């Protein structure tokens, strides 16, 4: 089995890590592992399968995240992912949304480690690409370190060697998904301890990272770092990832070069019927912290939804960040 480099990855995020976003990120970093949004087994088996699984070859390495709790259905979906060319299948055991809880999957599966193990076992039997699990450090009152260790111990016996741990617990009732990403405190030490207690497992830490320096520091204690919201707000934060994290000698892409490439992609996608706004929304943070960034955002936001908009909107937005005021 090909070993995937998980030193740095971009988190699965519903409504964000769609294929346009992933393509954009691939223009910024060639090596960072990309995750899809969570796709449920129900959607994949009964919905528009080809659309849900679609990705561009440039997006490799790419992992598909699945949501579900039925071993056979997960195995079938994992098979579809492998056939479509994904590099990894990840099981979501960390999402606390009501929709997910009603379906009895996501974070609530932390209370059913045997079922998770069975899901993993069936998926591993079905495919030859890696199967990984993304989870939390605990849920509700099952938040002691012993609970987490027991969960890991049981799931690893099914053959899962890679765990991505969002370093905060989730409250399954009373908090919205957004609050569950902010209110329970981050406990990085728990994840570091996990790596010490399970040194043969690959442990990826997630939660609250916004700088590459933090990634470098974490990599002295765990095997990988996954970043979510930090990249949405500031996609360019990964511009030096290939050099700093993966040791490549490639040149750091300029924002303008990224935009020019992305624009070519946009033009291709528009011909195929994609909506401009669905693609421009991902670049809104590209100039974060630069002169004219707010105007850049505003021009794109206001104009991208107008019918017939295309390259001209970008040219106008780009002018806003290139016109440095004379002093
Ligand atoms: C808008 C949004 C959607 C998310 N959707 C998913 C998802 O589909 N699957 C998942 O495992 N986690 C999901 N998450 C959680 C992230 O993957 C990540 O664990 C969390 O945001 C913490 O990392 P961060 O602090 O770097 O953002 C989502 C987070 C956000 C902000």
């Amino acid at each position: 089995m090909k070993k995937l480099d998980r030193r740095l990855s971009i988190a699965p995020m519903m409504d964000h890590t769609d294929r346009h976003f992933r393509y954009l990120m691939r223009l910024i970093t060639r090596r960072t592992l990309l995750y899809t949004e969570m796709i449920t087994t129900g959607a994949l088996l009964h919905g528009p399968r080809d659309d849900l699984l679609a990705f561009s070859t440039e997006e490799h390495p790419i992992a598909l995240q699945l949501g579900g709790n039925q071993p056979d259905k997960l195995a079938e979906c994992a098979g579809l992912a492998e056939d479509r060319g994904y590099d990894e299948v990840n099981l979501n055991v960390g999402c606390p949304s009501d929709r997910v809880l009603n379906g009895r999957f996501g974070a609530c599966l932390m209370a059913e480690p045997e079922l998770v193990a069975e899901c993993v076992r069936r998926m591993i039997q079905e495919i030859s690409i890696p199967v990984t699990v993304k989870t939390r450090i605990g849920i509700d009152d099952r938040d002691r370190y012993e609970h987490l260790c027991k969960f890991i111990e049981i799931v690893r016996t099914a053959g899962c060697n890679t765990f991505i741990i969002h370093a905060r617990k989730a409250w399954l009732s009373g908090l919205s998904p957004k609050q569950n990403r902010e209110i329970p405190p981050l406990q990085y030490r728990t994840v570091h301890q996990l790596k010490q207690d399970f040194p043969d497992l690959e442990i990826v830490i997630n939660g609250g990272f916004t700088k590459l320096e933090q990634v470098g520091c974490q990599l002295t204690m765990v095997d990988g770092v996954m970043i979510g919201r930090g990249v949405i707000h500031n996609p360019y934060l990964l511009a030096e990832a290939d050099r700093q994290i993966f040791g490549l000698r490639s040149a750091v892409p300029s924002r303008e070069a990224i935009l020019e490439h992305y624009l070519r992609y946009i033009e291709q996608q528009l011909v195929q019927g994609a909506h401009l706004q669905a693609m421009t929304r991902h670049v809104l943070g590209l100039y974060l912290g630069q002169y004219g960034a707010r105007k850049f955002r505003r021009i794109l936001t206001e104009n991208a939804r107008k019918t017939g908009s295309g390259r001209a909107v970008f040219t106008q937005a780009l002018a806003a960040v290139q016109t440095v005021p004379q002093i």
Side-chain angles (χ1 to χ4, degrees):
M1 190 188 292
K2 198 175 111 215
K3 174 108 177 72
L4 275 181
D5 192 336
R6 297 191 182 80
R7 279 178 286 179
L8 182 60
S9 55
I10 298 180
M13 288 179 283
M14 296 291 288
D15 294 328
H16 285 279
T17 51
D18 57 26
R19 52 182 306 193
H20 305 314
F21 175 83
R22 299 190 308 256
Y23 190 92
L24 172 69
M25 291 317 299
R26 195 46 89 221
L27 297 174
I28 300 174
T29 162
R30 277 161 44 201
R31 281 289 178 85
T32 304
L33 176 59
L34 305 177
Y35 283 78
T36 66
E37 306 166 270
M38 178 186 72
I39 302 179
T40 63
T41 51
L44 204 49
L45 296 176
H46 308 295
R49 182 176 298 179
D50 291 344
D51 286 350
L52 291 170
L53 290 177
F55 68 92
S56 317
T57 46
E58 290 87 345
E59 291 173 44
H60 285 292
I62 177 168
L64 178 80
Q65 188 187 58
L66 288 174
N69 64 2
Q70 291 167 279
D72 286 341
K73 291 193 172 171
L74 282 165
E76 191 178 343
C77 290
L80 295 174
E82 181 173 48
D83 291 346
R84 180 61 186 79
Y86 281 90
D87 301 297
E88 169 188 323
V89 173
N90 174 265
L91 180 63
N92 183 333
V93 188
C95 178
S97 79
D98 285 347
R99 182 174 76 98
V100 161
L101 297 185
N102 290 338
R104 226 187 97 224
F105 59 98
C108 65
L109 286 178
M110 281 200 88
E112 298 186 72
E114 282 84 6
L115 176 58
V116 176
E118 189 48 28
C119 292
V120 165
R121 190 172 292 117
R122 281 289 296 111
M123 286 195 280
I124 289 176
Q125 279 168 1
E126 193 71 23
I127 59 177
S128 56
I129 54 173
V131 174
T132 64
V133 167
K134 178 169 182 280
T135 188
R136 298 260 183 160
I137 57 173
I139 46 167
D140 297 336
D141 296 329
R142 296 175 65 89
D143 62 351
R144 293 208 316 274
Y145 184 61
E146 294 75 45
H147 290 126
L148 178 60
C149 289
K150 188 170 173 219
F151 175 84
I152 299 285
E153 190 60 61
I154 293 172
V155 177
R156 78 181 291 199
T157 57
C160 179
N161 298 318
T162 303
F163 291 85
I164 300 149
I165 316 277
H166 183 175
R168 49 164 69 89
K169 66 178 283 187
W171 287 103
L172 297 186
S173 57
L175 293 186
S176 69
K178 185 169 183 294
Q179 288 171 321
N180 256 318
R181 292 192 289 265
E182 290 163 1
I183 293 176
L186 283 163
Q187 298 183 45
Y188 294 147
R189 286 229 300 264
T190 303
V191 185
H192 300 158
Q193 187 63 47
L194 206 58
K195 177 63 194 173
Q196 286 186 11
D197 293 337
F198 295 90
D200 52 328
L201 292 180
E202 184 177 34
I203 302 292
V204 176
I205 193 168
N206 165 242
F209 299 110
T210 54
K211 293 190 177 74
L212 281 187
E213 296 76 60
Q214 295 170 315
V215 176
C217 175
Q218 289 296 322
L219 288 177
T220 63
M221 293 171 280
V222 289
D223 303 296
V225 179
M226 174 180 268
I227 305 185
R229 288 163 291 181
V231 178
I232 295 180
H233 297 136
N234 179 17
Y236 199 67
L237 101 88
L238 298 193
E240 298 209 18
D242 289 346
R243 290 170 76 91
Q244 286 189 27
I245 308 301
F246 297 103
L248 299 189
R249 297 226 183 124
S250 48
V252 175
S254 69
R255 291 180 172 86
E256 289 69 30
I258 293 163
L259 216 47
E260 184 52 42
H261 274 98
Y262 192 53
L263 190 47
R264 270 184 250 147
Y265 167 81
I266 286 180
E267 286 174 335
Q268 285 164 11
Q269 291 292 316
L270 286 174
V271 174
Q272 291 169 32
H275 293 286
L276 182 63
Q277 205 181 5
M279 296 178 278
T280 52
R281 71 191 191 104
H282 297 309
V283 288
L284 296 180
L286 190 64
Y287 281 86
L288 187 84
Q290 304 295 300
Y291 175 79
R294 284 175 66 180
K295 200 167 170 198
F296 174 85
R297 286 180 76 99
R298 187 168 49 73
I299 292 169
L300 285 182
T301 313
E302 285 176 1
N303 296 301
R305 58 171 178 261
K306 295 180 185 160
T307 31
S309 293
R311 184 173 274 269
V313 177
F314 273 88
T315 311
Q316 200 190 343
L318 208 47
V321 278
Q322 286 173 336
T323 329
V324 179
Q326 302 296 315
I327 300 170

